[in-house]
Amino acid sequence: MRTASRFLIVLIFLGVVLGGIFGYKFYQFGQMKEQFSQPQPPAKISATMASTEMWTPEIKAVGSVEAINGIEVANEVSGVVETIAFESGDTVKKGDILIRLDAAIDEAALRTRRAEAQLAEQEFKRVSDLLPKRAVSQSQYDEAKANFDAARARVNEAEAQLSKKIIRAPFDGKLGLRLVDQGEYIGTGTPIVEINMLDAIYVDYTLSEKDLPMVQQGYDVVATVAAIPDSHFAGQVSAINTSVNPQTRTVRIRATLGNEDNQLRPGMFATVATRQPQDREVVTVPRTAVSYNTYGDFVFVVEENDDGELVVNRRTIQTGNTRDSRVAVLDGLKEGEQVVSKGLLRLRAGQRVEVQEDEQPAEASK
């Protein structure tokens, strides 16, 4: 009996303890359910109005800077470098001497050819004087004339060969690094120095075939490069390729840019904006108001529900160009509609909000 009494006391004690625990948990659950059933306080947001601005339509693309004329100067004949008449980085004019090769043998050959030509000229003059007197035959006259003409041609050939020992700048431009040394033997076609015409300069880029009707020769372009991000280089479309690449369905465009300070160099990666001549009105919002993803860009529009409360609704939009931290909205939003400008990640469709900061829309600009 004593054991059964103890067992009963233990069971009663355990029942009281477990009942207390379950009762406390049931009370907590009820409190949580009551708390969740209470409406959530409105989220505090910053909002702004979609505004209309005057923008110049433009098509952006990427391309590469190219020199109008740019080559590696090389020699046509082999020889030993006798004189170097430039320094790396010099600015030169067309015809300026860059290097001279040893030309002693060619100069001697030219003197020989000139002596032969002088002798042939004297012989031709004697035969010419004797022909009217019929002291020589017509064939002798023709032979003397042919010998004289051949001798003059050999002189011209020797002079041309000698001139190839002097390498000159083929056009106005800026030189790169010198690639040969004085006294060095260089074979035919050895690179001597790079020369590029830098002002003006080309930028070549490609556009999709669907953008081709919106680009014409003479349209303004503005280019930027990563090396000088704060500088904008203005120019014009100078040529449009006559065919579309069948593999990529793109067309190659060439624009000519001013480069007076020689800041642009061939080979630079450039971002190019091709601008159309007419301005147009576009609806714009701050870039921070747009959420970009693979399923479509969207904004949260601030609207009133049936109870007169402010809520946010997600709306898909079609975006265009970005300029000065504002995005053009091509479709899905109207001027004057209020959108959330910051903190999109913590919002959901239908959530109540309270506008804490009402940002002013940007003034109309071009």
Side-chain angles (χ1 to χ4, degrees), residues 53-278:
E53 302 181 44
M54 293 297 296
W55 278 19
T56 302
E58 60 183 29
I59 306 169
K60 287 191 175 181
V62 294
S64 180
V65 178
E66 303 285 347
I68 291 180
N69 286 308
I71 61 168
E72 272 190 337
V73 179
N75 55 313
E76 292 186 61
V77 295
S78 59
V80 176
V81 178
E82 185 177 75
T83 305
I84 297 177
F86 72 92
E87 293 294 337
S88 300
D90 282 353
T91 299
V92 295
K93 298 290 185 180
K94 180 179 179 180
D96 287 353
I97 295 175
L98 301 179
I99 68 169
R100 295 176 184 269
L101 301 179
D102 179 42
I105 296 176
D106 298 277
E107 290 171 351
L110 178 58
R111 288 194 293 270
T112 299
R113 297 305 183 190
R114 284 174 175 170
E116 292 173 351
Q118 185 177 6
L119 179 61
E121 183 181 11
Q122 292 173 353
E123 179 66 20
F124 176 63
K125 286 182 178 179
R126 282 195 296 269
V127 174
S128 298
D129 293 339
L130 293 174
L131 182 62
K133 302 175 183 179
R134 298 187 179 277
V136 294
S137 63
Q138 183 65 39
S139 62
Q140 289 176 307
Y141 171 83
D142 294 339
E143 183 179 358
K145 185 177 184 306
N147 290 336
F148 177 47
D149 291 340
R152 285 193 301 181
R154 286 192 292 270
V155 170
N156 294 336
E157 180 184 8
E159 288 175 342
Q161 187 71 15
L162 180 62
S163 69
K164 293 180 180 180
K165 295 289 185 174
I166 301 176
I167 291 85
R168 300 177 183 272
F171 48 79
D172 297 353
K174 190 174 182 63
L175 301 179
L177 301 179
R178 175 167 58 88
L179 303 178
V180 297
D181 297 319
Q182 190 165 352
E184 179 183 356
Y185 175 84
I186 56 176
T188 303
T190 300
I192 297 168
V193 67
E194 187 179 85
I195 179 172
N196 285 292
M197 184 182 292
L198 300 180
D199 185 24
I201 201 164
Y202 289 145
V203 59
D204 290 350
Y205 58 101
T206 58
L207 293 177
S208 170
E209 62 177 344
K210 67 181 178 62
D211 295 325
L212 187 56
M214 294 183 286
V215 180
Q216 293 185 19
Q217 192 169 341
Y219 276 15
D220 291 336
V221 301
V222 176
T224 57
V225 294
I228 322 165
D230 297 329
S231 297
H232 295 76
F233 301 89
Q236 291 184 326
V237 174
S238 53
I240 301 174
N241 206 11
T242 55
S243 62
V244 174
N245 187 313
Q247 280 76 39
T248 61
R249 304 302 177 188
T250 57
V251 61
R252 189 173 180 182
I253 311 293
R254 171 168 288 174
T256 304
L257 308 176
N259 190 31
E260 295 179 359
D261 297 331
N262 294 340
Q263 291 180 297
L264 295 177
R265 299 298 178 92
M268 280 184 169
F269 178 84
T271 301
V272 187
T274 307
R275 295 183 171 177
Q276 294 180 311
Q278 302 88 12

